[in-house]
């Protein structure tokens, strides 16, 4: 991307010879005053909008922040109070813009360059390429096994010696005074001796909006992670760890204004109370909008995503039924199936041949012992798998469904809003009719920046679930502000009739895309800004997310890393393997001049030897933000010996990846 003046990114980028272990300066150099910077920025933006000066940037640059932030403000980087107290290092040259941005740059990155956009869609009729897991060199696997072996052996030695030399520390693991042990020595071993060693990677405390950037509460441990103490300082970091796929987790903007209006209308007491009167009507409005959004006949809303699966699956199947589940399905699915009383069979992750072989067996053999036909066969898959970044092969599943007459349940917790040219999820991505799926489940905690989940299907099914689902009589409904966030963000993706023309239908035989939302489907008091009501900003977010996902995924592979998942997935797992590298990767990413906060995932969420860092891309990120992540990974990958995906001669340099970003992002 051409610049007319040196990029602020370049001004803060470490030199090729500098070490990533070099301590950051405690006293960053700041401009003369925040007021002078704001004044210059305001004048530059005014000139750009009036056409009196050519804009020098097509997108505002990536962050340049100090990690020693101590202010309590979590607002925009352009807030004078925060600039004076937060320790932020500002660009030396104020950026200009080609348009008036309605978002805070810290929450949603400003980017007006249409080159960095693409569409999330799979060509209709083209088979989905199988995901092939790449193995690292044998020495990497061997060192990983040896590392775990040493940790286990040393852990047992420490337990053996500790119980005899310092029994007070192990009192809760041993019988005493007639009491049984509070915890099992064996069951808690992994938590005590392995996970505790890298606890700083998990459950990082934050404050404020988890948008493009995030404010971390710094902490330290005086006793090897047994306790964590706050230092009193805060760190503003680039956030590549949240499920904020479309960037709707914002503290300001049209959706936030709608939420504020709902609080004024329904009162603060409605935040935790059962819905009554007009608030109950709001829930019905939201359920109708969800049904239209996903292209189904009816839908119901649950106040918790986990509970959506765990409480409604038992209303779908029971004793005498069979559930066939992907081996990598979420814990909420496993829990719901377990308490339903149905028989369960697993098939290899995304292996359609293994699934068909299993279907032939269970259909021909029937129920165990009696061999009677199954009352019902329910196949459960996820649209997008959160640990792998892979997606269900929906066209093949629908073909099998017609052949073997089973019911299909698709969990779209991560795919709804994140996949498809219209953000309608896995069916939209493949261009198939969603009504070919019997049960669509999804959550609002990812792409919509809210909470809760939904079940969508035909009206007969939804009416039954309202009566027999455990959540309906026993759980609280969602609060009006949360429902309003769902409605506002969903309408922003769909667009509202009268503000936008119906989008071109993505057709596959008889299927026609639902199109924009009618005004009658929204509360009468809800007024979205024109950019949101027209669907223009929602479409822009979808295209930005699609580009960022492909650019990061393809860029990491070109650099030589082993990654999992589909290129269109906003979840990009990078394999670390060795447990020692997990802690180091997290520390080195956070210790950079521009701190980057990442999610490290280890056993039991993944197999023992495939520990990984999981990047979660957002539409809130700019192309420059992804450049920052690629540069950091390239440098740290060399230090930790992580580049095992390609041979040296086949790898690209990080500068070549950045220069050819448009090609990688639309590959």
């Amino acid at each position: 991307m051409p610049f007319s003046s040196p990029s602020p990114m370049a001004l803060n980028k470490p030199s090729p010879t500098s070490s990533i272990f070099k301590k950051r300066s405690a006293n960053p150099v700041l401009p003369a005053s925040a007021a002078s910077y704001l004044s210059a920025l305001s004048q530059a933006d005014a000139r750009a909008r009036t056409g009196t000066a050519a804009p020098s940037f097509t997108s505002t640059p990536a962050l340049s922040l100090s990690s020693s932030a101590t202010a309590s403000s979590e607002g925009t980087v352009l807030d004078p109070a925060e600039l004076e107290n937060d320790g932020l290092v500002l660009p030396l040259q104020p950026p200009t813009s080609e348009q008036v941005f309605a978002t805070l740059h810290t929450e949603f990155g400003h980017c007006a360059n249409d080159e960095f956009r693409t569409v999330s869609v799979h060509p209709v009729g083209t088979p989905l390429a199988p995901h092939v897991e790449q193995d690292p060199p044998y020495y990497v696997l061997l060192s990983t096994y040896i590392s775990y072996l040493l940790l286990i052996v040393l852990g047992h030695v420490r337990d053996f010696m500790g119980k005899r030399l310092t029994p007070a520390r192990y009192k809760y693991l041993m019988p005493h005074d007639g009491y049984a042990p509070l915890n099992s020595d064996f069951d808690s071993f992994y938590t005590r001796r392995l996970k505790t060693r890298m606890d700083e990677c998990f459950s990082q405390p934050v404050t404020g909006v988890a948008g493009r950037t995030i404010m971390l509460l710094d902490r330290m441990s005086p006793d090897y992670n047994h306790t964590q103490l706050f230092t009193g300082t805060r760190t503003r970091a680039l956030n590549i760890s949240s499920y904020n796929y479309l960037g709707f987790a914002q503290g300001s903007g049209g959706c936030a204004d709608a939420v504020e209006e709902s609080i004024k209308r329904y009162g603060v007491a409605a935040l935790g109370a059962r819905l009554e009167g007009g608030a109950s009507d709001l829930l019905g409005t939201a359920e109708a909008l969800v049904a239209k959004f996903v292209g189904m006949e009816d839908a119901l809303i649950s106040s918790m995503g986990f509970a959506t699966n765990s409480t409604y699956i038992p209303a779908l199947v029971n004793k005498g039924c069979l559930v066939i589940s992907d081996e990598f399905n979420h814990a909420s699915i496993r829990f719901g199936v377990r308490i339903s009383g149905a028989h369960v069979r697993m098939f290899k992750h995304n292996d359609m041949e293994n699934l068909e072989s299993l279907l032939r067996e269970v259909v021909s053999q029937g129920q165990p012992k009696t061999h009677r036909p199954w009352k019902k066969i329910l196949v459960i898959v996820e649209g997008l798998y959160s640990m792998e970044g892979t997606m269900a092969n929906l066209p093949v599943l629908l073909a099998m469904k017609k052949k073997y007459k089973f019911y299909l349940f698709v969990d779209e917790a991560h795919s709804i809003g994140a996949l498809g040219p219209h953000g309608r999820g896995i069916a939209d991505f493949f261009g198939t009719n969603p009504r070919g799926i019997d049960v669509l489940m999804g959550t609002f905690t990812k792409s919509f920046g809210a909470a809760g989940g939904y079940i969508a299907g035909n009206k007969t099914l939804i009416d039954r679930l309202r009566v027999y689902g455990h959540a309906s009589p026993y759980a609280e409904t969602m609060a009006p502000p949360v429902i309003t966030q769902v409605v506002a963000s969903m309408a922003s993706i769909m667009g509202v009739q009268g503000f936008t023309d119906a989008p071109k239908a993505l057709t596959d035989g008889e299927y026609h895309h639902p199109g924009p939302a009618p005004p009658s489907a929204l509360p009468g008091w809800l007024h979205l800004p024109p950019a949101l009501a027209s669907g223009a900003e929602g479409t822009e977010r979808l295209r930005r997310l699609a580009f960022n996902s492909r650019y990061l995924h393809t860029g990491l592979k070109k650099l030589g890393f082993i990654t999992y998942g589909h290129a269109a997935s906003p979840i990009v797992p990078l394999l670390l393997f060795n447990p020692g590298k997990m802690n180091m990767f997290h520390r080195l990413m956070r210790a950079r001049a521009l701190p980057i906060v990442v999610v490290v995932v280890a056993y039991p969420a993944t197999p023992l030897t495939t520990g990984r860092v999981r990047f979660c891309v957002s539409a809130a990120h700019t192309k420059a933000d992804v450049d920052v992540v690629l540069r950091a990974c390239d440098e740290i990958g060399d230090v930790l010996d992580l580049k095992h995906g390609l041979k040296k001669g086949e790898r690209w340099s990080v500068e070549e990846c950045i220069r050819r970003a448009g090609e990688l992002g639309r590959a």
Side-chain angles (χ1 to χ4, degrees), residues 41-126:
L41 177 60
S42 176
Q43 294 173 13
D45 274 347
R47 288 195 301 270
R49 289 193 293 270
T50 58
T52 57
S56 59
F57 290 95
T58 52
S59 67
T60 50
L63 297 172
S64 178
L65 310 178
S66 166
S67 65
S68 58
T70 58
S72 61
S73 171
E74 287 83 46
T76 170
V77 70
L78 302 180
D79 180 10
E82 183 175 355
L83 288 172
E84 293 174 0
N85 301 311
D86 206 18
L88 303 180
V89 182
L90 300 174
L92 299 183
Q93 296 291 335
T96 59
S97 59
E98 294 180 343
Q99 64 188 71
V100 179
F101 293 103
T103 56
L104 301 182
H105 195 45
T106 51
E107 295 179 0
F108 192 93
H110 301 163
C111 181
N113 194 332
D114 198 58
E115 179 186 358
F116 307 131
R117 310 283 191 273
T118 192
V119 178
S120 174
V121 65
H122 184 81
V124 176
T126 304

Side-chain angles (χ1 to χ4, degrees), residues 503-570:
K504 293 181 180 179
L506 181 65
T507 58
D508 178 23
E510 301 176 353
Y511 171 54
H512 296 274
H513 190 265
S520 59
L522 304 177
W525 50 266
L526 180 64
H527 302 290
L528 295 173
L532 293 178
S534 67
E537 187 173 321
T539 301
E540 187 78 356
R541 291 177 186 239
L542 291 169
R543 296 178 67 222
R544 284 182 61 168
L545 174 63
F547 175 87
N548 290 342
S549 301
R550 288 186 180 273
Y551 176 34
L552 180 59
H553 185 276
T554 313
L556 289 174
K557 291 183 75 71
K558 291 294 185 182
L559 290 176
F561 294 98
I562 296 178
T563 62
Y564 281 176
H566 193 282
S569 166

Side-chain angles (χ1 to χ4, degrees), residues 25-350:
S25 171
N27 300 308
V29 179
L30 294 174
S33 70
S36 63
Y37 170 75
L38 290 173
S39 176
L41 177 60
S42 176
Q43 294 173 13
D45 274 347
R47 288 195 301 270
R49 289 193 293 270
T50 58
T52 57
S56 59
F57 290 95
T58 52
S59 67
T60 50
L63 297 172
S64 178
L65 310 178
S66 166
S67 65
S68 58
T70 58
S72 61
S73 171
E74 287 83 46
T76 170
V77 70
L78 302 180
D79 180 10
E82 183 175 355
L83 288 172
E84 293 174 0
N85 301 311
D86 206 18
L88 303 180
V89 182
L90 300 174
L92 299 183
Q93 296 291 335
T96 59
S97 59
E98 294 180 343
Q99 64 188 71
V100 179
F101 293 103
T103 56
L104 301 182
H105 195 45
T106 51
E107 295 179 0
F108 192 93
H110 301 163
C111 181
N113 194 332
D114 198 58
E115 179 186 358
F116 307 131
R117 310 283 191 273
T118 192
V119 178
S120 174
V121 65
H122 184 81
V124 176
T126 304
L128 180 67
H131 173 65
V132 180
E133 293 186 0
Q134 190 173 2
D135 293 325
Y138 284 116
Y139 78 88
V140 174
L141 289 175
L142 183 61
S143 66
T144 301
Y145 281 117
I146 291 175
S147 297
Y148 278 112
L149 180 62
L150 286 174
L151 287 170
I152 292 170
V153 170
L154 292 176
H156 281 298
V157 170
R158 291 187 64 185
D159 281 356
F160 179 82
M161 301 298 294
K163 289 177 181 178
R164 286 153 181 79
L165 300 179
T166 56
R169 295 179 57 188
Y170 292 84
K171 187 175 182 180
Y172 68 101
L173 294 175
M174 298 185 295
H176 62 92
D177 301 328
Y179 288 96
L182 187 61
N183 295 107
S184 166
D185 188 349
F186 178 82
D187 292 342
S188 64
F189 180 82
Y190 174 83
T191 303
R192 292 184 292 107
R193 294 304 180 198
L194 282 83
K195 178 181 176 295
T196 303
R197 288 177 174 268
M198 49 186 177
D199 251 356
E200 65 185 81
C201 300
F202 310 117
S203 305
Q204 301 176 70
V206 301
T207 182
V209 175
R212 170 177 173 252
T213 68
I214 195 168
M215 187 70 81
L216 303 174
L217 302 179
D218 297 329
R219 57 183 181 173
M220 54 83 66
S221 177
D223 52 8
Y224 304 102
N225 290 336
H226 288 286
T227 57
Q228 298 279 354
L229 304 177
F230 290 111
T231 63
T233 60
R234 304 184 183 193
T235 298
R236 173 76 73 176
L238 180 64
N239 181 18
I240 195 79
S241 62
S242 297
Y243 294 144
N244 183 28
Y245 297 139
L246 291 181
F248 279 115
Q250 296 175 223
S252 61
C255 293
D257 292 342
V259 171
E260 184 178 354
E261 176 62 27
S262 73
I263 296 175
K264 293 177 181 178
R265 184 169 293 269
Y266 298 110
V268 178
L271 288 170
R274 286 188 176 273
L275 298 182
E276 297 179 359
S280 180
D281 294 338
L282 178 62
L283 178 63
T285 298
E287 291 180 334
L289 186 64
V290 169
K292 182 170 181 59
F293 183 82
V294 300
M296 300 298 268
E297 190 177 349
D298 199 3
L300 62 83
I301 288 178
S302 173
S303 58
M304 181 180 176
F306 190 99
T308 306
N309 277 330
S310 60
T311 62
Y312 284 109
I313 288 179
L316 293 171
V317 290
N318 50 34
K319 187 176 180 181
C321 299
L322 173 67
V323 173
I324 300 179
S325 177
D326 188 291
E327 64 177 342
F328 286 169
N329 275 345
H330 193 262
S332 60
I333 297 174
R334 294 167 178 259
F335 184 76
V337 172
R338 187 179 301 124
I339 64 176
S340 71
H343 194 76
V344 188
R345 296 290 297 271
M346 310 279 282
F347 68 94
K348 294 179 181 178
H349 174 57
N350 251 359

